[in-house]
Short mmCIF file of all heavy atoms in Angstrom, two decimals:
data_model
loop_
_atom_site.label_atom_id
_atom_site.label_comp_id
_atom_site.label_asym_id
_atom_site.label_seq_id
_atom_site.Cartn_x
_atom_site.Cartn_y
_atom_site.Cartn_z
N GLY J 283 167.12 40.20 -49.20
CA GLY J 283 168.19 40.33 -48.21
C GLY J 283 169.56 40.38 -48.86
O GLY J 283 169.75 39.97 -50.01
N LEU J 284 170.55 40.87 -48.09
CA LEU J 284 171.92 41.01 -48.61
C LEU J 284 172.71 39.71 -48.50
O LEU J 284 173.86 39.63 -48.93
CB LEU J 284 172.67 42.11 -47.85
CG LEU J 284 172.16 43.54 -48.03
CD1 LEU J 284 173.07 44.51 -47.26
CD2 LEU J 284 172.14 43.92 -49.52
N LYS J 285 172.12 38.70 -47.86
CA LYS J 285 172.74 37.37 -47.73
C LYS J 285 174.13 37.42 -47.09
O LYS J 285 174.28 38.05 -46.04
CB LYS J 285 172.72 36.69 -49.11
CG LYS J 285 171.24 36.57 -49.55
CD LYS J 285 171.05 36.01 -50.91
CE LYS J 285 169.53 36.00 -51.18
NZ LYS J 285 169.21 35.72 -52.56
N ALA J 286 175.15 36.81 -47.72
CA ALA J 286 176.48 36.73 -47.10
C ALA J 286 176.99 38.11 -46.68
O ALA J 286 177.55 38.28 -45.59
CB ALA J 286 177.46 36.07 -48.08
N THR J 287 176.79 39.10 -47.52
CA THR J 287 177.22 40.46 -47.18
C THR J 287 176.52 40.93 -45.92
O THR J 287 177.13 41.58 -45.05
CB THR J 287 176.87 41.42 -48.34
OG1 THR J 287 177.37 40.86 -49.55
CG2 THR J 287 177.44 42.80 -48.10
N GLY J 288 175.26 40.63 -45.81
CA GLY J 288 174.50 41.05 -44.63
C GLY J 288 175.10 40.48 -43.36
O GLY J 288 175.20 41.16 -42.33
N ILE J 289 175.52 39.22 -43.42
CA ILE J 289 176.12 38.61 -42.24
C ILE J 289 177.45 39.29 -41.90
O ILE J 289 177.74 39.56 -40.73
CB ILE J 289 176.27 37.08 -42.44
CG1 ILE J 289 174.87 36.46 -42.49
CG2 ILE J 289 177.12 36.46 -41.34
CD1 ILE J 289 174.83 34.96 -42.63
N GLU J 290 178.21 39.63 -42.93
CA GLU J 290 179.47 40.34 -42.66
C GLU J 290 179.23 41.68 -41.98
O GLU J 290 179.94 42.07 -41.05
CB GLU J 290 180.26 40.55 -43.97
CG GLU J 290 180.88 39.26 -44.52
CD GLU J 290 181.61 38.46 -43.44
OE1 GLU J 290 182.49 39.04 -42.76
OE2 GLU J 290 181.29 37.26 -43.28
N LEU J 291 178.19 42.37 -42.44
CA LEU J 291 177.88 43.68 -41.85
C LEU J 291 177.41 43.53 -40.40
O LEU J 291 177.73 44.36 -39.55
CB LEU J 291 176.82 44.41 -42.69
CG LEU J 291 177.26 44.73 -44.14
CD1 LEU J 291 176.14 45.46 -44.87
CD2 LEU J 291 178.54 45.56 -44.14
N LEU J 292 176.67 42.46 -40.11
CA LEU J 292 176.26 42.21 -38.73
C LEU J 292 177.48 42.02 -37.84
O LEU J 292 177.53 42.51 -36.71
CB LEU J 292 175.38 40.97 -38.65
CG LEU J 292 173.89 41.16 -38.97
CD1 LEU J 292 173.21 39.81 -39.07
CD2 LEU J 292 173.21 42.03 -37.90
N LYS J 293 178.47 41.29 -38.36
CA LYS J 293 179.68 41.06 -37.56
C LYS J 293 180.41 42.39 -37.31
O LYS J 293 180.96 42.62 -36.22
CB LYS J 293 180.62 40.09 -38.28
CG LYS J 293 180.08 38.66 -38.33
CD LYS J 293 181.14 37.74 -38.95
CE LYS J 293 180.54 36.48 -39.53
NZ LYS J 293 181.50 35.80 -40.43
N ALA J 294 180.40 43.24 -38.34
CA ALA J 294 181.04 44.56 -38.17
C ALA J 294 180.31 45.35 -37.08
O ALA J 294 180.95 46.02 -36.26
CB ALA J 294 181.00 45.33 -39.49
N ALA J 295 179.00 45.23 -37.05
CA ALA J 295 178.22 45.95 -36.03
C ALA J 295 178.51 45.37 -34.65
O ALA J 295 178.55 46.09 -33.64
CB ALA J 295 176.73 45.88 -36.36
#
Side-chain angles (χ1 to χ4, degrees):
Chain J
L284 293 183
K285 300 176 181 169
T287 309
I289 292 182
E290 288 313 306
L291 297 181
L292 277 171
K293 291 185 202 165

